[in-house]
Amino acid sequence: MDTVAKTTRAGGKRLILVVEDNDLEREMLSIILSDEYETVEARDGVEGLEILEERYEDLSLILLDVFMPRCNGFEFLKRKREDARYDSLPTIVMTASGAVEDEMRCLELGANDFLTKPYNAGIMLNRIRNTIRLRETASIVNHLTYDQLTGLYNMEFFYAAAMEEYASQPDCTFDFVASDINNFRSLNDRHGSEHCDELLRQLAIHLRAHLPGVLVGGRSGGDTFAFMTEHYEGDWNERVQEVMDRFAYHNMHVKFGVMEGADPSMPVSVACNRAMSALKNIKDIAGTTVSLFDEQLHQSMLTEQTILESMESALEEGQFKIVYQPKFDVQRGRIGGAEALVRWIHPTLGFVSPGVFIPIFERNGFIVKLDLYVWEHVCMEIKRWEKLGLEPVPVSINASRIDFDDINLAHKLADLSDHHGVDRSLLHIELTETAFSDNPESVTKVLNDFRELGFSTELDDFGSGYSSLASLNTMPLDVMKLDMSIVQKATELNDFRIVEASINLARTLGLGTVIEGVELMSEAERVRELGCDYIQGYFYSRPLPAEEFEACLADPHSLAR
Ligand code: C2E
Ligand code: CA
Ligand code: CA
């Protein structure tokens, strides 16, 4: 590994190590150098090596005499060459005039240049300047080109090197592989960055050496690497498994995305992006190690692109519509509320599920705009019901975790509802439980604001996997909404104990309960017996367009079955 080019030391001068046994010559050298450089002096090779060990990071150059007692110049060069830390440090050897053989030997041992005695100060300073400049330029270039930790290319140079491979083998096909360490952040937290840096370095070296047919390797930042390989005919799954079985750090899970069969007609950046997309596709899937880029993924990438290109105009043109899914109030046997859900009929893609576009909007931040749009329309809708003489019910609106990055969120929603003259108690905020794991403090603060301002707060998707039971009682919540997978699982196993325990837990914590995803009469009966407060699901009603929902409000008992 290289060290960063040393520009100047304290006092603006670079530091030179002078290794020379003759006191007079050493003194003379130091005088010649003193205008431009600082010097540190060694009286023989042994002393020179000791200073090297201590100060190599500060040094810009070594001036080395050949004939010295204890350890001569040749020996010094040999020892220096054995230690990679000194690689970037240039050496100029001082020889007697006409000693061509000595000069040859020194150059072979890694010396960069030589000066003959007696010295000419002008020539000497010029050679020193040139040698340092050359080395520093090389070092800067090296820094730009290679990732200093892993020795892999930085991505820009990875692309360039991969293009050269394309150019040199225009009729061949290649594979692009992206790798990523699972949960690297938590490894870092647990083991510290020094340990994890070493782990990254070892992994890069291992993959560079053992993935089949590696041509180029790059580090795309963090713990993500990219490789270009010869096209591998075998099964990437099996091969990667073998490679990772041989890796020393077994308790680490590395995931791979592979774009197979790229040829020079596919730009390197596209091939690389595809490998990365394949990788991203299995990021959250436990137990899966390799993902190949395939047609299905290609389609979803195209869809994502279309979505990104059309989202702004869709919002302006009112393509996003809001549907209302009634909630059945078990106690009162009638409609007790609704959840507002967004719908998008795209002009070319047709119906796009929020399950598809919401995560995309969460990644690019557009969700904040969309949610605001939804909330505003919900306010207008509630006002409409009042004008029509219908008795409004509370509407739950979904808030994304991204919305909660805005510390003033609750106040903004308060302004919005005030502006539309909507009673705040008619708005319930649904927040999915995963939001808490991101930033528990600020989410808690915003939820507290919501409650203080008169809104109700609901924990969505409870039991889908991320709740920390330990902190549940400190979260400022009014309602717990059980994830629909729990009811579905209960039906499948004909065992409702988890549902029952969840309802009891909510009750112990003083929270109301909503059971979501109830599709069957048997499920509705069961959860009613278990004492839940509200039921939401296809059994009572699908999400309804505004006009149909109005009919439901007009006949509040129509849901009872
Ligand atoms: P969610 O908040 O958990 O919403 C419930 C989802 O379950 C809705 O899907 C709803 O249509 C569906 N559902 C309701 N009852 C049943 C049932 O009995 N069986 C089955 N299988 N499904 C049922 P939808 O509308 O596709 O929404 C998916 C997710 O998208 C929502 O999950 C929510 O996380 C998100 N989402 C929807 N609208 C918005 C929105 O306006 N803003 C934000 N931030 N997210 C939204
Ligand atoms: Ca919800
Ligand atoms: Ca839910």
Side-chain angles (χ1 to χ4, degrees), residues 462 496-508 530:
F462 176 76
F496 275 70
R497 281 179 299 173
I498 302 276
V499 178
E500 183 176 10
S502 305
I503 293 173
N504 289 338
L505 173 66
R507 197 176 295 138
T508 307
L530 293 175

Side-chain angles (χ1 to χ4, degrees), residues 97-243:
S97 84
V100 180
E101 260 177 40
D102 292 345
E103 286 167 2
M104 285 296 292
R105 204 167 149 208
C106 287
L107 290 175
E108 275 164 19
L109 286 169
N112 298 74
D113 204 349
F114 49 84
L115 286 163
T116 40
K117 300 178 186 179
Y119 307 117
N120 171 312
I123 293 180
M124 170 181 278
L125 286 171
N126 266 318
R127 290 238 169 125
I128 289 176
R129 265 182 229 123
N130 286 341
T131 307
I132 292 180
R133 187 172 46 80
L134 265 177
R135 208 22 101 96
E136 288 184 352
T137 312
S139 155
I140 289 167
V141 170
N142 182 295
H143 263 264
L144 290 173
T145 312
Y146 295 102
D147 170 54
Q148 297 302 301
L149 179 66
T150 60
L152 299 176
Y153 278 114
N154 288 323
M155 276 320 266
E156 207 179 311
F157 290 87
F158 172 86
Y159 289 140
M163 288 210 314
E164 277 175 26
E165 289 294 337
Y166 267 170
S168 70
Q169 306 178 67
D171 300 324
C172 290
T173 52
F174 304 87
D175 296 345
F176 284 79
V177 183
S179 73
D180 182 274
I181 301 172
N182 217 22
N183 288 328
F184 189 64
R185 217 168 76 184
S186 71
L187 279 182
N188 245 317
D189 291 344
R190 258 186 294 150
H191 301 293
S193 59
E194 213 166 290
H195 172 87
C196 287
D197 275 359
E198 181 53 21
L199 207 134
L200 269 181
R201 213 171 67 80
Q202 295 292 339
L203 180 66
I205 293 169
H206 184 78
L207 294 177
R208 181 84 183 71
H210 298 293
L211 282 179
V214 172
L215 299 167
V216 189
R219 181 181 182 195
S220 100
D223 56 329
T224 310
F225 303 149
F227 297 94
M228 179 196 204
T229 70
E230 290 163 3
H231 177 50
Y232 180 59
E233 293 289 349
D235 182 336
W236 268 105
N237 256 299
E238 285 172 11
R239 190 60 209 264
V240 159
Q241 204 57 58
E242 271 171 41
V243 170

